Amino acid sequence: MHAALPDREPTRAAPAEDAAQAPAPDPVRDPWRGPMRHALAEAERAARSGDVPVGAVVLGPDGEVLATGHNEREADGDPTAHAEVLALRRAARRLGAWRLTGCTLVVTLEPCVMCAGALVQSRVDRVVFGAMDEKAGAVGSLWDLVRDRRLNHRPEVVQGVLADECSALLTRFFRAR
């Protein structure tokens, strides 16, 4: 015999006020919101100089900001002047070593193939990004270079941090062109 279930009140829809509450905490992405805001500020600098608004921050193992970068391709006439590459170069220069072991790269847009290769070569422990790049992304969208098992170094990936804000900045930039 089956035991009878206790009587329950019928389920009611939540009031509209409850639906407007803040999203539930995200223990994976929430710790990276502050650094991503810093990367967004870098991205704004790129936009002001006519470059695609992508910003990056390299954090040391202790969370200290080691270096920042934003796209400077137009400003410098350099096709490799992506935010990630510039931030990684500056972090390596500051540490006096090319190995950025223990460091985290935070960037507003999913890295391209060049930048994904640079972050693998720099040995960062983690890459955190905001918006997906369906046209050129190499960290999960088109390719997944950083998690290729054939490589000797595969950083942790955290995607989607402040994704809406990162995407909106890019959308505004390209609509204004």
Side-chain angles (χ1 to χ4, degrees), residues 1 3 15 17 20 31-32 39 54 75-76 78 87 94 109-110 129 132 134 158 160 162 166-167 170 177:
M1 287 225 149
E17 299 83 45
W32 304 109
V54 177
D76 292 350
D78 179 354
R94 180 166 176 195
L109 180 65
E110 177 184 2
F129 69 89
M132 298 291 283
E134 302 295 333
V158 178
L162 299 180
C166 295
S167 294
L170 288 158
R177 292 189 83 134

Side-chain angles (χ1 to χ4, degrees), residues 86-163:
L86 296 174
L88 291 169
R89 286 178 185 162
R90 291 168 183 156
R93 195 172 308 120
R94 180 166 176 195
L95 292 176
W98 65 267
R99 285 183 183 89
L100 299 178
T101 307
C103 295
T104 299
L105 173 70
V106 180
V107 60
T108 57
L109 180 65
E110 177 184 2
C112 69
V113 173
M114 177 182 69
C115 295
L119 68 93
V120 167
Q121 291 300 316
S122 71
R123 307 297 196 267
V124 295
D125 280 9
R126 172 180 314 100
V127 59
V128 176
F129 69 89
M132 298 291 283
D133 186 349
E134 302 295 333
K135 294 182 180 177
V139 186
S141 288
L142 285 182
W143 300 281
D144 200 349
L145 183 68
V146 301
R147 289 179 277 210
D148 188 318
R149 291 179 181 260
R150 297 169 291 182
L151 295 175
N152 64 332
H153 178 73
R154 292 181 301 276
E156 173 189 356
V157 175
V158 178
Q159 66 187 48
V161 177
L162 299 180

